[in-house]
Amino acid sequence: MSEDFTLDPELCHLNHAAVGPWPRRTAEVVARFAEENAHAGSLAYPQWLEVEQRLRERLARLIGAVSPADIALAKNTSEALSVIAHGIVWRDGQNIVGIQQEFPSNRIVWESLATQGVEWRGLDLDASSDPEADLMALCDDETRLLAVSWVQYASGRRLDLERLGTYCRAKGILFCVDAIQGLGVLPCDVQRFQTDFLVADGHKWLLGPEGLALLYVRPELRETLTLRQFGWHMVEQVGDFDQVDWVPAESARRFECGSPNLLGIHALEASLSLIEELGPETIWTRVQECTNHLIEAIDRRGFELLTPSDPALRAGIISFRVPDRSAEPLYRALMQRKVLCACRGGGIRFSPHFHTPLSVIDRAMEILDEILAAPPAS
């Protein structure tokens, strides 16, 4: 699997939860696209649109959607969440339930609805031993939406989407999932999870570029969202520029107001071709090998594991804290030694993927040992 990547051998890439590396094929596709554009302009535009359609088909299969028509392509997760938040017709006094420790995109967008009299209620995940039950307990008769991340960006804590989705469907509560830290690692099925909305950027575990994201809206709900963005690309008769009496597209394309990001589309489609060839079960098995190996290394050193050790409660993120050492200086030292990681939630966050050799994890931990053994800078 590592032969599909051309990473610098001196680099320990353990940061897929931030920005993942492109596979070899993705870099080659982007280079060909650029060369083609430089020499022939948009002569191949019809073929470019075929790649766009293939991307929608791959994304639909990846999440278990019924049809590629259920897939919209947004610029990023924040935009996709905003389409949902400001598309729902709210009533004064309604509320949204979520998690306090969410990445800002999954908090700010809901807090912005306060001007419409909508309350955002955040569960303190750090104080909860059963987040699913506690999220349900925060809901009441005025709860319109439950909005959570599948996997928390800092702690790596994974939620039971099937349990939450079953509850929401039974109570008539809309269910929105930010899947950015799970999609590409874990098998996904929006039908089984009973998600009404699912969003995910392509630049993390999907190994694609920034600037392109998935937006899934359950087909029965598409027309209930008020459109806030308009343009030539979101109409049913797309390409008929003389059409005067326009209507929004019946498909999820209604949420795409303007020209598609065809460069990003070529890149993400290529990356997903690799993910689809391997299959979600194979990828998840391999990621578990990496994370189990990492947890064993953390435990041997007596570090504090911030991510649940139970595989059912985690995905690809492993966060830990070194006792009596501040995380920020350790993070900076690791980055200086080409250990690509992150500082999140007061700890060091490593996030290996299916292609990460176990030897890279071992080398990263050995480098951390050397940093800890070195005398503090004067």
Side-chain angles (χ1 to χ4, degrees), residues 70 169 191 196 216-225:
D70 299 336
R169 190 62 58 88
Q191 309 302 319
D196 295 304
Y216 166 81
V217 177
R218 186 158 62 91
E220 296 85 349
L221 296 174
R222 277 204 292 265
E223 293 189 6
T224 69
L225 293 183

Side-chain angles (χ1 to χ4, degrees), residues 272-293:
L272 288 185
S273 72
L274 174 59
I275 287 174
E276 193 166 32
E277 285 172 16
L278 295 171
E281 297 294 345
T282 297
I283 290 174
W284 175 225
T285 297
R286 175 58 184 154
V287 170
Q288 286 185 90
E289 291 175 2
C290 291
T291 52
N292 287 340
H293 189 78

Side-chain angles (χ1 to χ4, degrees), residues 232-253:
W232 72 273
H233 197 254
M234 48 77 66
V235 300
E236 183 62 34
Q237 301 297 330
V238 66
D240 184 356
F241 304 129
D242 296 323
Q243 182 77 21
V244 176
D245 298 324
W246 60 271
V247 294
E250 290 187 6
S251 72
R253 185 167 47 77

